[in-house]
Amino acid sequence: MTEDARDEVDRLVAAWRTERPDLDVEPLQVLSRVSRLAKHLDRARRAAFAEHDLEPWEFDVLTALRRAGKPYELSPGALLRATLVTSGTMTNRIDRLAQARLVRRRPDPEDRRGVLVSLTDTGLARVDAAFDDLLRRERELLSGLEGTDRRALASLLRTLLAPFDSPH
Amino acid sequence: MTEDARDEVDRLVAAWRTERPDLDVEPLQVLSRVSRLAKHLDRARRAAFAEHDLEPWEFDVLTALRRAGKPYELSPGALLRATLVTSGTMTNRIDRLAQARLVRRRPDPEDRRGVLVSLTDTGLARVDAAFDDLLRRERELLSGLEGTDRRALASLLRTLLAPFDSPH
DNA sequence: GAGAGATATCTCGACGTCAAGACAGTACAC
DNA sequence: GTGTACTGTCTTGACGTCGAGATATCTCTC
């Protein structure tokens, strides 16, 4: 189950072993696959959202608001921390979402530097529909793994992610 | 080991379960982690390459050539398939790499539509040094996992990736 | 050997992101 | 209260990518 299952990354690793036999390229077995899978995932997401007239970046912002619960309102700062983008990017995103009437901006009554961004009814409906769709596709994508394997995979990934979540 | 390890994704999943208790959001346990890990990985790579004056995109192209073995030469088409970018992007990348004297372009003697791109000596030295460095950091990043776990993880990821690799 | 379709590469304009920095407002020590 | 450091948001310019389309060449069929 390991020796011959052969995917792109196995080929890539084999090529390295020929070209740089002095190096231990085993880390690629995990990390190249993570990168490649993420790339494919992006495409699948893009396809799922296209049916709801949403771009992946729009979805990211809308879901952050959706997850916050009523009244579906967060500051740009909270949004950029949730989506791992820079502040300039977030300003730009909010501008475009507001123009599309999916979110609304209002001054923060408690901090005059601040702004609060909230979902409109349209935004709420759109993100709920798109999320349903995304989950259906993700489930499909994971259908190659039994429940046990899925949980094991999740747990292993959590371990790798841990150093990034806590420090600083 | 599963209930309380709590990372960002666990929190995200918990938030969804509150807000949309009607949905089965378990797929996120795997796929959100893949995306997030990939994002962190990109940053780590960027940091590793910066010491060798390389951008990630430069590294991607140079390694594809390096892996090809002597004479370290591929067509733009082969390069874009190896790096999963569009042809316009690849043209642009090759232009800039050629300007930096890391690769060389020459007409394909066997196909007059074609071009062949090869590593210069500088390019070869640069990519080898950067790759050493990258592997050192990746090993560090994986140090939280035993060998057995690493292999299990690689194998699970391979399964998920399989559908993307074959059906062209 | 002519034509149709496929392939290889490049060009161009639009777009989203980032990094750096500007600016207004807040918090806290004194 | 005043000064200093910090925080939250927005502005700007440069950059890399994409998608669509242009051009040249090759391949295959008849």
Side-chain angles (χ1 to χ4, degrees):
Chain A
M1 189 202 276
T2 30
E3 244 348 299
D4 239 26
R6 312 252 92 213
D7 62 356
E8 269 304 316
V9 176
D10 283 322
R11 280 188 276 280
L12 181 153
V13 166
W16 276 122
R17 291 208 165 117
T18 304
E19 289 300 320
R20 298 286 310 270
D22 57 313
L23 289 181
D24 167 22
V25 294
E26 209 225 333
L28 300 181
Q29 291 278 10
V30 170
L31 298 179
S32 287
R33 285 195 177 89
V34 169
S35 292
R36 296 177 80 95
L37 192 51
K39 197 138 192 168
H40 290 301
L41 217 52
D42 275 351
R43 296 187 179 182
R45 282 160 47 93
R46 182 174 298 276
F49 301 150
E51 294 183 17
H52 303 274
D53 263 312
L54 285 177
E55 298 293 321
W57 64 261
E58 296 181 292
F59 181 81
D60 284 344
V61 176
L62 297 180
T63 34
L65 291 168
R66 180 65 180 83
R67 266 198 317 273
K70 284 200 171 179
Y72 310 121
E73 186 165 63
L74 291 172
S75 68
L79 284 170
L80 67 89
R81 280 186 292 277
T83 52
L84 305 177
V85 300
T86 59
S87 65
T89 298
M90 188 49 70
T91 297
N92 186 19
R93 286 182 174 190
I94 295 168
D95 284 350
R96 285 172 288 156
L97 285 168
Q99 206 158 9
R101 310 258 175 231
L102 299 174
V103 307
R104 222 186 329 263
R105 234 196 285 238
R106 68 176 179 112
D108 184 336
E110 314 213 316
D111 183 339
R112 266 179 298 183
R113 294 166 302 179
V115 168
L116 292 173
V117 180
S118 61
L119 280 182
T120 61
D121 291 345
T122 317
L124 177 60
R126 203 82 80 74
V127 70
D128 275 351
F131 190 49
D132 276 7
D133 208 359
L134 176 65
L135 277 173
R136 190 164 53 252
R137 294 188 190 229
E138 294 203 344
R139 222 167 278 128
E140 175 67 26
L141 227 145
L142 289 170
S143 62
L145 293 181
E146 302 293 333
T148 317
D149 283 345
R150 270 211 296 284
R151 281 185 290 277
L153 178 50
S155 170
L156 290 166
L157 291 170
R158 186 193 286 110
T159 305
L160 286 187
L161 224 28
F164 293 110
D165 274 353
S166 40
H168 131 278
Chain B
M1 191 201 276
T2 30
E3 245 346 300
D4 239 27
R6 310 253 93 213
D7 63 356
E8 267 307 314
V9 175
D10 283 321
R11 279 187 278 280
L12 181 152
V13 166
W16 277 121
R17 291 208 165 118
T18 303
E19 288 300 317
R20 299 285 312 268
D22 55 314
L23 290 180
D24 168 22
V25 294
E26 208 225 333
L28 300 181
Q29 291 278 7
V30 169
L31 298 180
S32 287
R33 286 197 176 89
V34 169
S35 292
R36 296 177 79 97
L37 191 50
K39 196 138 191 169
H40 290 301
L41 216 51
D42 275 351
R43 296 187 179 181
R45 281 160 46 93
R46 183 174 298 276
F49 300 151
E51 295 183 17
H52 303 275
D53 262 311
L54 286 176
E55 297 294 320
W57 64 262
E58 296 182 291
F59 181 81
D60 283 345
V61 177
L62 297 179
T63 26
L65 291 168
R66 179 64 180 82
R67 266 198 319 272
K70 285 202 170 177
Y72 310 120
E73 187 165 61
L74 291 172
S75 68
L79 284 171
L80 68 89
R81 280 186 292 277
T83 52
L84 305 177
V85 299
T86 60
S87 65
T89 298
M90 189 49 71
T91 298
N92 186 18
R93 287 183 173 189
I94 295 168
D95 285 351
R96 285 171 287 155
L97 285 169
Q99 205 158 9
R101 309 260 175 231
L102 299 174
V103 308
R104 220 184 332 259
R105 233 197 285 238
R106 69 176 178 112
D108 184 337
E110 314 213 317
D111 184 339
R112 264 177 301 180
R113 294 167 303 181
V115 168
L116 292 172
V117 179
S118 60
L119 279 183
T120 61
D121 292 344
T122 316
L124 177 60
R126 202 81 80 76
V127 69
D128 275 352
F131 190 50
D132 276 6
D133 209 358
L134 176 65
L135 278 174
R136 188 165 53 251
R137 292 185 191 232
E138 293 202 344
R139 222 167 277 129
E140 175 66 25
L141 226 145
L142 289 170
S143 62
L145 292 181
E146 302 293 331
T148 317
D149 282 345
R150 270 210 297 283
R151 281 184 291 277
L153 178 50
S155 170
L156 290 166
L157 290 170
R158 185 193 287 109
T159 306
L160 286 187
L161 224 27
F164 294 110
D165 274 353
S166 38
H168 115 283

